Each structure stands twice: as structure tokens, then as C-alpha cells.
């Protein structure tokens, strides 16, 4: 039973690594990630009433920061150049998905703020969300493997440190969401949400609820 489950998960990862189609030659992993971030970003801007206050630069820039914050910071920790600094493909992939969904939800703006719809969407897409986060963490940690081209560029002290693996996993898993919430990118003037990282702000008084609310942070660290 367990081997069958592992096989199905592996097949799911392989399928999500395929391109969407020849006309849109980008992996399902990246495309679905862009879609999930776009939904979250638009939901926050519409819920706060800042959707129309955004200019295109802050609207797209905030989305990109929310999408790539984890990748940017994890690569900086590894002292490696993030792909978005030298490759145009991520820009085309993510921004095109975001603009498409922006158009779709402009036709039915109430949907993106419907709490029942968003809750149902989270439940339905929970397995995919888990796979997307796992893929981000595993992909980042692969730089620490001896067979990685980046291996020689990374300090042995970091490669051999379990603590660094944990920090890197946290960053890859939750860096984008934490960065977006810290800077308040769903506001047209970033920073108006305060600069305290989201996971350091006062949370639920219950310890179990507080731990659960930061699952996306420490969960990635455990994978690391």
C-alpha cells in the first residue's frame, strides 16, 4: 500500500514537471504556482479594497515578489544568482498567468473575495500546494548535493550544517509569502503593513494554533 502511494506521488511529480503544451512551453509546477500566488495576491488586494489603487508596476511587482521571494532569498543564502536575474522564461511564465487570471477575475470579482470559494479551493488544491512547496524545497536543497553544478561554489560549512538545511527549507517554502506580508505588497504603497516578518507578529494565543499558523515556515525546514 505504501509503495503504491509513493509510486503515485512520484508519478504526480513527474507529470507536473511536464510542459503545459508546445504553445506554452513552461512546466506545470511553475504555472500552477503562478496561478496559486495570483489568486492569493488578488484575493488580498480585493479584500483590502486596494485592487484599483495599484498601478501596473506595483501590481505586477508585488505579485512577482510574492512568487519569487523564497527563491530569491534562498539563492542569496547559497551565494548563487537567482534564475530570474538572467532568464526571461520565469518572467513570461508567471506574468502571463497573472495577467490572464486578473482578466478572468475582473469578469467575476466577487468570486475572488468569496470566503467559501477560497476555503473550498484551498481544500481541493491542498495536495497540489503540498507538492509545490515540496518541489521548491527539494529543488533548492538539490544545490547542496555533490552532483549539483553549484556544489563547488557553496561553502562546506553550509553544506554540512543541519541548521542551514532547516533555514534553507524554511526560506524556500515560505519566503515569498513572508516577504509579501512583511512588505505589505497588496497595498499600493509597500511597507504600510509594517516591516515585522509575518511569522514574528503576535499570533493566536493558543500554542497549537500558533504553531499551525506558521506551518508553511517550519514545515519547509523539516523537509530540509
Amino acid at each position: 500500500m505504501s509503495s503504491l502511494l509513493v509510486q503515485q506521488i512520484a508519478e504526480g511529480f513527474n507529470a507536473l514537471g511536464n510542459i503545459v503544451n508546445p504553445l506554452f512551453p513552461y512546466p506545470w509546477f511553475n504555472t500552477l504556482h503562478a496561478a496559486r500566488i495570483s489568486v492569493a495576491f488578488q484575493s488580498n488586494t480585493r479584500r483590502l479594497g486596494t485592487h484599483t489603487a495599484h498601478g501596473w508596476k506595483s501590481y505586477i511587482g508585488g505579485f512577482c515578489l510574492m512568487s519569487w521571494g523564497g527563491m530569491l532569498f534562498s539563492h542569496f543564502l547559497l551565494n548563487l544568482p537567482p534564475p530570474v536575474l538572467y532568464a526571461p522564461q520565469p518572467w513570461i511564465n508567471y506574468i502571463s498567468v497573472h495577467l490572464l487570471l486578473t482578466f478572468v477575475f475582473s469578469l467575476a470579482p466577487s468570486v475572488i473575495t468569496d470566503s467559501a470559494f477560497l476555503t473550498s479551493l484551498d481544500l481541493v488544491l491542498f495536495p497540489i500546494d503540498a507538492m509545490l512547496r515540496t518541489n521548491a524545497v527539494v529543488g533548492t536543497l538539490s544545490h547542496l548535493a555533490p552532483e549539483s553544478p553549484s556544489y563547488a561554489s557553496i561553502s562546506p560549512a553550509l553544506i554540512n550544517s543541519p541548521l542551514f538545511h532547516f533555514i534553507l527549507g524554511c526560506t524556500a517554502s515560505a519566503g515569498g509569502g513572508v516577504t509579501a506580508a512583511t512588505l505589505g505588497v497588496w497595498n499600493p504603497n509597500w511597507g504600510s503593513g509594517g516591516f515585522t516578518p509575518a511569522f514574528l507578529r503576535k499570533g493566536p494565543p493558543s500554542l497549537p494554533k500558533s504553531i499551525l499558523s506558521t506551518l508553511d515556515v517550519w514545515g519547509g525546514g523539516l523537509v530540509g
Side-chain angles (χ1 to χ4, degrees), residues 4-198:
L4 178 60
L5 178 60
V6 171
Q7 181 182 354
Q8 290 177 334
I9 293 175
E11 290 175 353
F13 272 99
N14 289 334
L16 291 176
N18 295 330
I19 64 171
V20 176
N21 63 56
L23 297 178
F24 194 75
Y26 303 105
W28 276 107
F29 264 123
N30 295 356
T31 303
L32 289 174
H33 181 243
R36 290 296 283 142
I37 298 299
S38 180
V39 169
F41 182 82
Q42 291 187 66
S43 174
N44 279 312
T45 59
R46 289 192 179 276
R47 178 175 54 83
L48 294 172
T50 59
H51 188 77
T52 56
H54 269 281
W56 279 107
K57 289 181 288 185
S58 64
Y59 183 72
I60 293 176
F63 161 76
C64 289
L65 190 59
M66 190 174 180
S67 299
W68 300 332
M71 178 263 293
L72 289 171
F73 281 108
S74 61
H75 277 70
F76 292 155
L77 289 173
L78 291 166
N79 197 29
L80 297 173
V84 294
L85 294 186
Y86 58 82
Q89 291 86 350
W91 295 89
I92 299 171
N93 187 182
Y94 276 74
I95 293 176
S96 60
V97 171
H98 185 44
L99 293 180
L100 174 62
L101 289 179
T102 297
F103 171 73
V104 170
F105 288 119
S106 70
L107 302 178
S110 60
V111 173
I112 199 66
T113 56
D114 187 330
S115 58
F117 167 76
L118 294 174
T119 300
S120 300
L121 190 66
D122 287 341
L123 289 174
V124 170
L125 297 182
F126 177 78
I128 293 179
D129 285 343
M131 294 178 74
L132 292 175
R133 288 187 185 276
T134 302
N135 180 67
V137 174
V138 172
T140 301
L141 291 172
S142 68
H143 291 291
L144 304 178
E147 60 272 16
S148 170
S150 310
Y151 183 80
S153 304
I154 301 172
S155 168
L158 298 179
I159 292 173
N160 298 318
S161 169
L163 176 60
F164 181 70
H165 284 232
F166 180 82
I167 293 173
L168 197 61
C170 292
T171 304
S173 175
V178 170
T179 302
T182 301
L183 296 180
V185 297
W186 23 83
N187 295 303
N189 299 313
W190 295 1
S192 56
F195 288 103
T196 304

Side-chain angles (χ1 to χ4, degrees), residues 202-207 209-210 213:
K202 184 176 181 180
S206 165
L207 180 60
K209 289 183 178 179
S210 180
S213 69

